[in-house]
Amino acid sequence: MTDLEAIYERHSVRQYKPDRIEEDKVKELKSKIDELNLEGDLHLQLIEDAGKTYNRLINRASGLGSAPSVIACVGKDSEDLDRRVGYYGEKLVLFAQTLGLNTCWTGTFNRKNTEADIPEGYRLVICIAIGYGKDGGRVRKSKNASQVSEAAGERPEWFDKGVEAALLAPTAINQQKFMIRLGVDDKVEFIDKGGVLSQVDIGIVKCHYEIGSGRLV
Ligand SMILES: Cc1cc2nc3c(=O)[nH]c(=O)nc-3n(C[C@H](O)[C@H](O)[C@H](O)COP(=O)(O)O)c2cc1C
């Protein structure tokens, strides 16, 4: 499965089977995490036993309490930390999808109960639930391309493909509060229109856009 195929396959999954992730897949995930941490200067961590990360009522109600494992998204605190977490975290989410695993980004979890390693000066931004879903999730409502993108001149095919992939990006409460702007010089900008965890969203959107358009921004 390619990353683009993974984008189309992925949906947030909140109900998980009790099965643990097999050792060989844990190894693959950890090696991908090492690679992404190096590239993004992050401290993402796979916590194999989610423990009581999702014991809040809201998580139990949605089913997330069933997630066997969790990825803690930690990094040295900086202005662009949330954005980097979104960008590299989504690369990991898509990689997990290619391994047949399911995920859900979660801004809501029990901070006190995570086993994450958070050194001095570092921050735990968000967690990602991971495991084998009871199903693969479902297609949800989405804005359309004209609501989230604008171009100064012609819209090249690669731009439209990038926007299409960006519309499939997970965003907090499905807010999709972003704008992708194509300038005259083919320069692409991602505009944050605000909202909860919107900088994490922007990083995720950029990841999808780059894969869809086949161009790095
Ligand atoms: C930054 C962020 C935070 C999220 N937080 C939660 C959460 O706390 N609980 C939850 O059930 N889903 C959460 N989600 C999942 C979104 O609700 C989901 O991505 C959105 O509804 C779009 O659906 P899709 O992922 O299936 O495309 C979050 C997603 C993102 C990107």
Side-chain angles (χ1 to χ4, degrees):
M1 189 191 295
T2 64
D3 283 346
L4 189 61
E5 284 164 348
I7 282 180
Y8 283 88
E9 286 270 314
R10 187 215 61 86
H11 307 290
S12 284
V13 167
R14 298 180 179 83
Q15 315 238 347
Y16 291 87
K17 295 180 187 163
D19 315 33
R20 283 297 175 84
I21 305 171
E22 307 89 317
E23 226 172 280
D24 58 327
K25 289 194 183 174
V26 165
K27 243 177 148 178
E28 284 194 72
L29 282 170
K30 285 189 170 169
S31 131
K32 186 72 177 179
I33 286 174
D34 287 346
E35 179 193 315
L36 295 171
N37 278 343
L38 204 64
E39 217 182 298
D41 191 19
L42 290 168
H43 191 37
L44 307 178
Q45 304 152 46
L46 174 69
I47 300 168
E48 283 184 66
D49 181 356
K52 292 183 175 158
T53 306
Y54 296 115
N55 74 345
R56 288 180 63 182
L57 187 61
I58 187 171
N59 297 139
R60 281 187 279 134
S62 69
L64 277 165
S66 61
S69 303
V70 64
I71 294 155
C73 300
V74 178
K76 201 172 189 177
D77 210 359
S78 74
E79 209 204 312
D80 67 344
L81 177 60
D82 283 26
R83 209 165 159 139
R84 276 186 292 121
V85 157
Y87 183 79
Y88 292 100
E90 185 66 4
K91 284 185 184 257
L92 188 57
V93 158
L94 296 175
F95 180 71
Q97 191 77 39
T98 69
L99 296 180
L101 290 159
N102 301 104
T103 54
C104 184
W105 284 90
T106 54
T108 310
F109 60 97
N110 197 330
R111 266 175 199 272
K112 288 199 306 260
N113 290 347
T114 54
E115 305 276 312
D117 172 46
I118 313 169
E120 179 82 38
Y122 282 59
R123 183 160 58 89
L124 169 60
V125 176
I126 193 165
C127 281
I128 302 169
I130 183 165
Y132 289 101
K134 287 195 174 155
D135 60 36
R138 52 200 60 80
V139 175
R140 41 80 183 165
K141 274 197 200 156
S142 175
K143 290 187 177 174
N144 59 43
S146 61
Q147 290 171 297
V148 299
S149 65
E150 54 194 29
E154 289 283 292
R155 290 178 71 105
E157 198 188 346
W158 52 262
F159 181 67
D160 282 334
K161 283 187 173 163
V163 171
E164 187 178 319
L167 282 166
L168 294 168
T171 56
I173 50 170
N174 200 22
Q175 58 194 350
Q176 299 188 299
K177 285 188 167 180
F178 61 87
M179 178 62 71
I180 309 177
R181 189 176 287 156
L182 177 66
V184 273
D185 47 3
D186 279 357
K187 193 170 165 273
V188 174
E189 266 185 289
F190 297 87
I191 293 138
D192 179 355
K193 294 172 80 181
V196 55
L197 290 165
S198 59
Q199 279 291 301
V200 177
D201 285 356
I202 289 285
I204 298 173
V205 164
K206 181 174 171 228
C207 168
H208 276 226
Y209 172 86
E210 286 186 349
I211 292 167
S213 67
R215 292 173 165 230
L216 293 180
V217 177

